[in-house]
């Protein structure tokens, strides 16, 4: 007899046609095939094409930003966004240890070091209080630039991540970072369509980044986007991600060491069809979240919901269990019963290759690491 039988039963009832219930599967019930066939017919399947242009306009519109650039995946979008925010070799970037590895790798690809700061218990994302406390102790402004007194390195950016689509406390974070002259780059890879005080996540920082990987709410197979309200930075992002080629009808002249990070038109076609459905997907997921919430309240289990002033996209829904023992039992029983569940990420610094970076006490991150699990969240 399973301890979690009724929970397993409830989840199975949400997806009655499935034998195995995945965590998050893509949904292709819109114009996906039409647009992809159209891209093939046009012969523009690769690095330029009408769907890339359309996708960039759709993303700028959706995020209420002035410029969007389509790239090959979210990780490379983060890498370039950090570089454009001013992060370079030897710099430091404030971020959270409770995140997917891409957040941290993008910092390291730029030759910079992450500084791991704690998250808030309610948002599970970077805590403005933790950032403030760290800067009060370690920060020093020299000629308008923030330095870490302990390492003498420039603190070149702050990168919050909106965990599972729940926005961090953006007003407070923007205020702290503003006070210390630190540009913010939002890792909004998981939070497309989420809002903080009715403004889209990704539009608060100097630059924001999204992912269109297959497990996200909307997918292009693989893909990413950089958004910004600074048109000049947006144009630079396009330039850098398309080999930094100086426009010319036939000559090859490159004025910087750029990247081939372009999103193929074929993938952009899929992305356009998916973005058209984002609103209905989120509505559908919010309905599921409501049903989960009612059910889990009746079980005395903490189903995580959006905090006040925010609207979450409920990308991956989650429970906070009593302790690690409960969590481990839950993971085993659900997965044994073909209901896919997964723990939140291991804190990044626990892996030896990332253990040498500066960090704070991580009280909340450690608490959440032991207790948060994701449950099936696909659009039904
Ligand atoms: C998905 C994701 C990314 C980007 O991943 P890609 O697979 O490279 O598109 C970055 N950060 C976070 C937190 C993510 O969840």
């Amino acid at each position: 007899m399973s301890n979690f039988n009724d929970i397993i039963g409830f989840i199975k009832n949400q997806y009655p046609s499935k034998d195995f219930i995945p965590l998050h599967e893509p949904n292709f019930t819109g114009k996906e095939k039409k647009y992809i066939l159209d891209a093939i017919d046009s012969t523009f399947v690769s690095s330029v094409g009408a769907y890339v242009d359309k996708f960039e306009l759709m993303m700028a519109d959706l995020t209420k930003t002035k410029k969007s650039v389509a790239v090959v995946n979210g990780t490379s979008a983060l890498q370039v966004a950090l570089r454009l925010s001013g992060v370079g070799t030897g710099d430091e970037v404030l971020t959270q240890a409770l995140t997917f590895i891409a957040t941290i790798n993008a910092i390291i690809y730029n030759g910079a070091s992450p500084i791991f700061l704690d998250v808030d218990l309610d948002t599970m994302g970077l805590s403005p209080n933790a950032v403030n406390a760290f800067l009060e102790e370690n920060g020093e402004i020299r000629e308008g630039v923030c330095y870490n007194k302990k390492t003498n390195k420039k603190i070149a950016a702050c990168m919050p991540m909106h965990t599972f689509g729940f926005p961090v406390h953006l007003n407070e974070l923007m205020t702290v970072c503003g006070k210390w002259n630190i540009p913010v780059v939002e890792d909004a890879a998981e939070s497309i369509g989420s809002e903080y005080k009715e403004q889209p996540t990704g539009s608060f920082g100097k630059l924001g980044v999204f992912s269109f990987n297959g497990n996200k709410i909307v997918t292009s197979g693989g893909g990413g986007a950089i958004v910004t309200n600074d048109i000049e930075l947006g144009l630079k992002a396009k330039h850098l991600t398309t080999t930094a080629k100086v426009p010319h009808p036939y000559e090859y002249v490159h004025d910087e060491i750029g990247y081939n990070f372009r999103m193929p038109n074929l993938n952009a076609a899929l992305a356009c069809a998916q973005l058209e459905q984002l609103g209905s997907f989120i509505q559908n997921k919010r309905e599921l979240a409501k049903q989960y919430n009612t059910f889990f309240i009746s079980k005395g289990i903490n189903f995580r919901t959006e905090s006040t002033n925010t609207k979450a996209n409920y990308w991956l829904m989650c429970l906070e269990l009593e302790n690690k023992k409960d969590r481990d039992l839950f993971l085993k029983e659900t997965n044994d019963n073909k209901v896919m569940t997964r723990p939140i990420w291991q804190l990044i610094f626990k892996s030896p290759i990332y253990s040498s970076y500066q960090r704070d006490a991580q009280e909340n991150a450690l608490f959440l690491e032991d207790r948060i699990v994701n449950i099936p969240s696909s659009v039904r």
Side-chain angles (χ1 to χ4, degrees):
M1 183 70 181
S2 158
N3 288 350
F4 298 108
N5 250 350
D6 39 0
I7 296 175
I8 290 164
F10 186 84
I11 295 174
K12 283 189 167 172
N13 275 337
Q14 304 308 308
Y15 299 94
S17 64
K18 299 236 175 281
D19 180 37
F20 168 79
I21 303 174
L23 211 53
H24 203 282
E25 62 180 354
N27 180 302
F28 301 125
T29 48
K31 293 186 176 150
E32 288 84 1
K33 287 178 187 166
K34 179 175 184 290
Y35 289 178
I36 287 172
L37 287 177
D38 183 49
I40 291 171
D41 288 342
S42 77
T43 75
F44 286 89
V45 294
S46 194
S47 49
V48 293
Y51 284 107
V52 173
D53 299 340
K54 181 176 165 167
F55 170 78
E56 290 181 342
L57 291 174
M58 286 177 90
M59 278 305 291
D61 189 48
L62 179 91
T63 58
K64 299 187 193 165
T65 54
K66 295 205 175 106
K67 184 95 185 111
S68 147
V69 176
V71 294
V72 71
N73 57 50
T75 309
S76 48
L78 286 172
Q79 181 184 339
V80 171
L82 284 169
R83 174 164 160 185
L84 287 174
S85 78
V87 174
T89 304
D91 292 342
E92 293 178 338
V93 177
L94 308 180
T95 192
Q96 58 205 67
L98 188 69
T99 185
F100 177 58
I101 201 70
T103 315
I104 310 310
N105 283 344
I107 295 169
I108 297 172
Y109 296 157
N110 278 294
S113 304
I115 293 180
F116 297 118
L117 300 180
D118 206 0
V119 295
D120 281 318
L121 279 180
D122 58 347
T123 68
M124 300 182 281
L126 189 61
S127 165
N129 291 335
V131 172
N132 188 55
F134 177 84
L135 290 169
E136 289 295 335
E137 191 186 332
N138 301 282
E140 181 174 73
I141 304 236
R142 301 178 195 159
E143 291 171 10
V145 178
C146 186
Y147 282 82
N148 181 338
K149 278 188 285 195
K150 299 238 166 83
T151 60
N152 266 321
K153 290 180 173 182
K154 183 169 101 179
I155 300 176
C158 174
M159 189 153 64
M161 195 281 280
H162 305 295
T163 302
F164 304 139
F166 295 110
V168 304
H169 293 293
L170 274 160
N171 267 7
E172 291 82 356
L173 187 68
M174 295 305 295
T175 301
V176 176
C177 290
K179 189 173 123 198
W180 291 89
N181 269 348
I182 299 171
V184 172
V185 175
E186 290 175 76
D187 183 347
E190 305 184 352
S191 68
I192 189 168
S194 295
E195 294 173 1
Y196 178 87
K197 296 195 172 166
E198 294 176 6
Q199 282 300 308
T201 57
S203 69
F204 286 77
K206 195 167 181 175
L207 300 122
V209 166
F210 295 91
S211 166
F212 296 85
N213 190 39
N215 63 340
K216 299 300 199 296
I217 287 197
V218 282
T219 181
S220 58
I226 301 168
V227 300
T228 179
N229 277 312
D230 183 330
I231 291 177
E232 208 167 303
L233 268 189
L235 293 171
K236 274 192 193 160
K238 188 71 183 176
H239 186 63
L240 263 187
T241 54
T242 56
T243 73
K245 184 177 178 293
V246 179
H248 189 279
Y250 44 82
E251 301 262 23
Y252 288 93
V253 180
H254 303 265
D255 61 1
E256 263 188 279
I257 299 176
Y259 310 93
N260 175 14
F261 282 170
R262 293 174 285 212
M263 177 190 281
N265 197 47
L266 202 54
N267 297 76
L270 184 59
C272 287
Q274 288 270 284
L275 277 181
E276 287 174 356
Q277 300 166 87
L278 177 64
S280 64
F281 287 174
I282 291 178
Q283 219 179 331
N284 183 299
K285 287 162 74 69
R286 290 178 65 83
E287 189 53 45
L288 173 61
K290 222 196 263 171
Q291 291 181 28
Y292 271 151
N293 193 38
T294 309
F295 173 75
F296 284 111
I297 284 174
S298 79
K299 295 276 146 206
I301 292 173
N302 183 2
F303 175 79
R304 302 293 304 235
T305 54
E306 63 202 3
S307 37
T308 43
N309 290 324
T310 72
K311 184 181 168 193
N313 65 5
Y314 284 96
W315 168 50
L316 285 186
M317 305 190 204
C318 45
L319 303 177
E320 180 187 319
L321 298 171
E322 284 295 317
N323 50 48
K324 188 167 185 299
K325 189 163 158 269
D326 233 30
R327 180 200 86 160
D328 291 341
L329 193 61
F330 180 83
L331 289 169
K332 175 151 188 9
E333 291 200 5
T334 47
N335 284 294
D336 281 353
N337 283 283
K338 298 189 190 172
V339 171
M340 185 174 169
T341 60
R342 208 171 53 184
I344 199 168
W345 312 279
Q346 182 189 63
L347 301 187
I348 303 286
F349 58 80
K350 289 195 175 174
S351 146
I353 43 176
Y354 299 96
S355 64
S356 64
Y357 301 106
Q358 198 173 354
R359 61 176 189 262
D360 64 10
Q362 304 285 316
E363 199 180 319
N364 296 338
L366 287 161
F367 179 92
L368 294 167
E369 182 193 34
D370 279 350
R371 290 167 178 81
I372 298 288
V373 295
N374 293 125
I375 57 177
S377 310
S378 308
V379 169
R380 297 169 297 167

